[in-house]
């Protein structure tokens, strides 16, 4: 991913030609970058070889999951749809964990039939529901209980999950009650303590705090968990943030924890595997000027990428073809949707753009396409996977007739 002779190249693919061939907007992913991210992730924690379950919600394209699974990763799913997709992509059921606060009876029943590794349960009622279904099926089901450790992940409020006011997991009191209850259950085997404190975490200290909380809790209850599922949440560098998560320190804290508690560690990373491996290519439809700024109206909109509108997330925007002339006016990159929040970024210094120019919105591999919608009855974009000079369409552009 770099400029060659002022043209942005994605592996060995010329993006201008790609845009001409397939039209825009295009979600485009780099095979090499995904593989590199997987290797990095594994090597950060190689001393205790964790089970790494890719959080399918970050990107649920079958071919992407297939590729990730080929490199040994399992899947973290949160719905029957994601579970079916992971199985379809070839993920082994014994490498699948199922999280979520509101799994329905039919979803639980399906997961039990598929004999997945763990159902990570998030409430007393859910545990009782699993027990009821297991009894009816006369099966023993392996589960985890998700603890809400009341840890501030120091990330955006909208993507924090581990504070006591958040809906996720159970508090320590309920956790202990459930452990005691399940010791006597004939149909449920409690194998895992799971946590997930939030997403886009760049500071290792919240993880450290979370581990201290789990450590104290296990000391108190004297229960041997076969698995400790630490969730995902590892952040990546978007836009201006040069801050990086210190994996060495996180790894050190886990190793310290494992000296006392011998369990297999599970991770559920999404963003750190796929976030920086995807771009969104878009074309300038119109440019409109007022006294203060120029609106660069793109053919991509908040229905294609909702992160800026939903969380105020800032994704870097770069030109597909570089020129030297810089605009004197501020550029505001917007989409065509009838909402003021349909705005990607405001940039003071950008090269002069003209209508029909192509731009790239960076780092959209995670929570990009998977959060897209048909708002304003707009069709979803095409998804393309690039490997060297090989181009594979991994999801066709939606057609209007699919929506009627
Ligand atoms: N495990 C559980 C139980 C989760 O809820 C999540 C994300 C993950 C793992 C993966 O987290 P990651 O490694 O990707 O941070 N739409 C938001 C992010 C929401 C994350 C929801 N849960 C965004 O665009 O930033």
């Amino acid at each position: 991913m770099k400029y060659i002779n002022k043209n942005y190249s994605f592996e060995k693919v010329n993006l201008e030609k790609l845009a001409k061939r397939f039209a825009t907007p295009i979600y485009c992913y780099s095979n090499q970058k995904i593989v590199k991210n997987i290797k990095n992730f594994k090597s950060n924690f190689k001393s205790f070889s964790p089970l790494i379950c890719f959080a399918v919600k970050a990107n649920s394209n079958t071919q992407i999951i297939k590729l990730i699974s080929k490199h040994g990763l399992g899947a973290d799913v949160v719905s029957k749809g994601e579970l079916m997709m992971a199985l379809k992509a070839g993920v082994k059921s014994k490498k699948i964990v199922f999280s979520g606060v509101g799994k329905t009876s039919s979803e639980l029943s399906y997961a039990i039939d598929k004999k997945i590794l763990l159902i990570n349960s998030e409430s007393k009622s859910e545990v009782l529901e699993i027990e009821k279904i297991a009894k009816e099926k006369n099966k023993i089901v392996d589960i985890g209980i998700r603890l809400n450790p009341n840890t501030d992940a120091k990330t955006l409020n909208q993507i924090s999950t581990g504070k006591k006011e958040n809906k996720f997991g159970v508090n320590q009191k309920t956790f202990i009650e459930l452990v005691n209850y399940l010791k006597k259950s004939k149909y449920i085997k409690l194998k895992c303590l799971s946590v997930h404190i939030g997403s886009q975490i760049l500071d290792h200290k919240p993880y450290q705090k979370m581990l201290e909380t789990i450590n104290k809790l296990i000391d108190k209850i004297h229960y041997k968990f076969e698995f400790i599922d630490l969730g995902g949440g590892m952040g990546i560098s978007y836009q201006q943030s040069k801050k990086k998560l210190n994996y060495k320190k996180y790894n050190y804290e886990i190793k310290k924890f494992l000296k006392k508690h011998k369990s297999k560690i599970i991770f559920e990373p999404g963003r750190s595997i796929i976030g920086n491996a995807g771009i969104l290519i878009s074309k300038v439809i119109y440019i409109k000027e007022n006294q203060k700024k120029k609106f660069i109206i793109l053919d991509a909109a908040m229905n294609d990428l909702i992160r800026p509108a939903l969380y105020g997330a800032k994704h870097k925007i770069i030109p597909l073809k570089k020129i030297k002339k810089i605009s004197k006016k501020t550029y505001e990159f917007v989409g065509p949707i009838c909402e003021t929040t349909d705005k990607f970024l405001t940039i003071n210094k950008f090269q002069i753009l003209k209508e029909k120019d192509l731009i790239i919105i960076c780092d959209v591999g995670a929570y990009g396409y998977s959060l897209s919608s048909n708002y304003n009855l707009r069709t979803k974009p095409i998804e393309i996977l690039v490997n060297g000079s090989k181009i594979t369409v991994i999801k066709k552009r939606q057609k209007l007739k699919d929506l009627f």
Side-chain angles (χ1 to χ4, degrees), residues 55 57 76 99 146 159 196 199-200 232-234 268-271 307 311 367 371:
K57 65 172 83 63
D76 159 51
S99 319
R146 177 164 172 183
I159 51 176
H196 172 77
S199 199
Q200 185 51 14
M234 296 81 172
E268 302 168 353
R271 193 187 315 265
R307 300 195 70 254
Y311 313 114
Y367 309 107
L371 263 166

Side-chain angles (χ1 to χ4, degrees), residues 72-283:
L73 270 61
D76 159 51
V77 300
V78 290
S79 68
K80 184 173 176 180
E82 286 191 0
L83 174 51
M84 288 171 80
M85 185 62 102
L87 291 168
K88 184 174 173 225
V91 183
K92 298 253 173 352
S93 56
K94 282 296 168 215
K95 280 188 173 178
I96 299 179
V97 297
F98 193 175
S99 319
V101 292
K103 305 177 202 81
T104 63
S105 308
S106 108
E107 289 183 306
L108 290 169
S109 171
Y110 182 75
I112 292 170
D113 289 344
K114 293 294 165 192
K115 300 192 176 72
I116 63 169
L117 181 68
L118 293 164
I119 297 174
N120 284 337
S121 181
E122 305 215 16
S123 62
K124 235 189 238 178
S125 306
E126 189 192 345
V127 169
L128 296 178
E129 186 64 19
I130 297 172
E131 195 175 40
K132 190 174 132 220
I133 301 169
K135 192 173 173 192
E136 277 161 18
K137 292 183 189 284
N138 197 24
K139 281 186 179 160
I140 298 172
V141 180
D142 297 337
I143 73 158
I145 301 174
R146 177 164 172 183
L147 173 75
N148 182 323
N150 193 19
T151 309
D152 185 351
K154 306 251 185 293
T155 181
L156 288 174
N157 237 341
Q158 300 101 311
I159 51 176
S160 278
T161 50
K163 290 191 273 186
K164 65 174 186 289
E165 61 266 33
N166 300 135
K167 68 179 174 183
F168 302 98
V170 297
N171 62 23
Q172 297 211 21
K173 185 171 161 276
T174 311
F175 190 94
I176 296 170
E177 274 170 33
L178 284 172
V179 171
N180 289 327
Y181 174 78
L182 289 172
K183 279 180 189 160
K184 290 170 258 147
S185 173
K186 275 208 285 188
Y187 300 99
I188 291 185
K189 221 178 195 168
L190 175 60
K191 288 197 163 178
C192 176
L193 180 158
S194 83
V195 275
H196 172 77
I197 56 173
S199 199
Q200 185 51 14
I201 299 171
L202 291 167
D203 183 353
H204 70 279
K205 286 190 207 86
Y207 284 127
Q208 187 178 348
K209 265 188 87 184
M210 162 190 99
L211 281 163
E212 275 165 23
T213 306
I214 305 174
N215 177 29
K216 280 192 196 137
L217 178 64
I218 300 180
D219 279 350
K220 198 146 99 190
I221 56 179
H222 300 294
Y223 189 88
K224 167 96 181 72
F225 291 98
E226 189 176 331
F227 302 101
I228 301 287
D229 182 343
L230 296 176
M234 296 81 172
I236 61 169
S237 303
Y238 289 104
Q239 184 73 347
Q240 63 293 75
S241 136
K242 297 233 163 51
K243 206 171 162 188
K244 279 204 169 104
L245 176 66
N246 191 330
Y247 278 90
K248 265 198 182 136
K249 290 199 173 142
Y250 189 20
N251 177 56
Y252 171 80
E253 295 300 328
I254 299 172
K255 276 168 61 181
K256 205 166 84 185
F257 173 89
L258 288 175
K259 274 192 187 140
K260 259 179 82 181
H261 310 286
K262 305 255 176 296
S263 302
K264 174 102 177 159
I265 296 292
I266 300 176
F267 286 119
E268 302 168 353
R271 193 187 315 265
S272 48
I273 300 296
I274 184 86
N276 63 5
I279 56 170
L280 182 59
I281 308 167
S282 177
K283 191 190 271 180

